[in-house]
Amino acid sequence: MFLANWTSVKVFFFLGFSQYPKVQVIIFVVCLLMYLITLLGNVILISITIPDSHLHPAMYLFLSNLSFLDSWYTSSALTPMLANFVSGRSTISFSGCATQMYLSLAMGSTECVLLSMMAYDRYVAICNPLRYPVIMNRRTCVQIAAGSWMTGCLTALVETMTVLPLSPCGNSIINRFTCEILAVLKLVCVDTSLVQLIMLVISVLLLPLPVLLICISYAFILTSILRISSVEGRSKAFSTCTAHLMVVVLFYGTALSMYLKPSAVDSQEIDKFMALVCAGLTPMLNPIIYSLRNKEVKVALKKLLIRNPFNTACISILK
């Protein structure tokens, strides 16, 4: 059905930042650096969290999943953009656009669920420390991670399959640098109220609802921390939550500004900037935040660097 409706559109053209030819090279260099740092940081984080026996299964399982999500999310968004810039083209095929749309939605949706589950993990660690190994056992952690992936992939499939059957106007110019679902919807001539309603329901389930669960978890966490008498105990409890809280604010802040903003606020340039932040900046900062703010991850990273004598300078930076 959707192939018949989109037969007139074989190739999509990205408008991107072509209105600013003087800064396109700068944007390319910045995006390339963000992409390389994101891949390097997440690969390192995965390599130190999975084999290290000192990290609890919940921690390394969630962190490795988060790093894998960020790597795929950035790759699906920035790789076609960088390739188009090098080749001098700004196009993508219909199948490539559909794939890119699904991957970005699936990775982003899965991360929404995973971050809320990581808040629950921190709640159990702070409020029920003695029962933490029992509650957050390996089986439970695997089920949480698998449930996050299933939720993200299924909701992304629903959103993608509701957009593809719509009839386009014939215009194939996307005013973005990726096949972002909101930008593709603007190419449609038919009534999109049902699609927008479905997207709104999914957005509420994946954005405000997880944020609410995170806020509730941290309200209990803060209450438990304030009951700790020693300053050292409070500091240690805060340190276990700071990294996750910083990632939550960064991720949900940009996501909420894109998908749940008022319809009256429609600035293409702001939307492109926020999409660039979501695709490049946020995934790049996540491994940096976790490696610098998490003491256990820093210890594991130092052990990895010690094995290589050329990384002495890196170890001194982590101290």
Side-chain angles (χ1 to χ4, degrees), residues 122-158:
R122 294 299 85 199
Y123 158 75
V124 177
I126 300 297
C127 300
N128 297 281
L130 298 180
R131 298 184 60 200
Y132 179 71
V134 178
I135 297 176
M136 300 302 295
N137 56 68
R138 183 170 183 81
R139 180 179 179 181
T140 301
C141 295
V142 171
Q143 290 175 345
I144 290 175
S148 301
W149 277 96
M150 289 180 60
T151 302
C153 292
L154 287 176
T155 54
L157 183 63
V158 170

Side-chain angles (χ1 to χ4, degrees), residues 52 54 298-308 315:
D52 198 309
H54 293 86
K298 287 171 65 176
V299 170
L301 180 57
K302 288 179 182 179
K303 291 180 181 178
L304 179 67
L305 295 176
I306 287 174
R307 298 170 190 168
N308 189 341
I315 299 175

Side-chain angles (χ1 to χ4, degrees), residues 156-297:
L157 183 63
V158 170
E159 289 182 292
T160 304
M161 296 306 296
T162 54
V163 171
L164 293 181
L166 301 178
S167 300
C169 299
N171 180 17
S172 58
I173 300 177
I174 300 177
N175 193 11
R176 292 286 196 284
F177 57 88
T178 61
C179 282
E180 204 271 324
I181 188 169
L182 296 178
V184 174
L185 268 179
K186 294 182 179 181
L187 305 180
V188 176
C189 292
V190 298
D191 182 27
T192 60
S193 56
L194 178 60
V195 177
Q196 292 180 359
L197 178 61
I198 294 174
M199 290 183 59
L200 178 62
V201 172
I202 293 177
S203 297
V204 170
L205 292 176
L206 294 178
L207 290 173
L209 184 58
V211 169
L212 177 61
L213 296 176
I214 291 172
C215 291
I216 294 174
S217 297
Y218 275 101
F220 284 107
I221 289 172
L222 182 60
T223 303
S224 298
I225 291 177
L226 293 177
R227 293 174 182 173
I228 300 175
S229 57
S230 65
V231 177
E232 183 180 355
R234 290 184 183 181
S235 177
K236 184 177 180 180
F238 273 119
S239 65
T240 61
C241 302
T242 303
H244 175 257
L245 198 56
M246 291 174 65
V247 171
V248 165
V249 172
L250 188 63
F251 177 80
Y252 282 104
T254 53
L256 287 170
S257 64
M258 286 185 60
Y259 290 98
L260 291 180
K261 68 178 182 179
S263 57
V265 181
D266 187 14
S267 174
Q268 297 290 342
E269 305 308 314
I270 294 178
D271 289 344
K272 282 188 280 189
F273 174 76
M274 296 307 298
L276 192 61
V277 170
C278 284
L281 185 61
T282 303
M284 181 189 71
L285 292 179
N286 284 354
I288 297 175
I289 291 172
Y290 273 110
S291 62
L292 294 179
R293 297 297 303 176
N294 191 299
K295 292 182 179 179
E296 291 180 313
V297 173

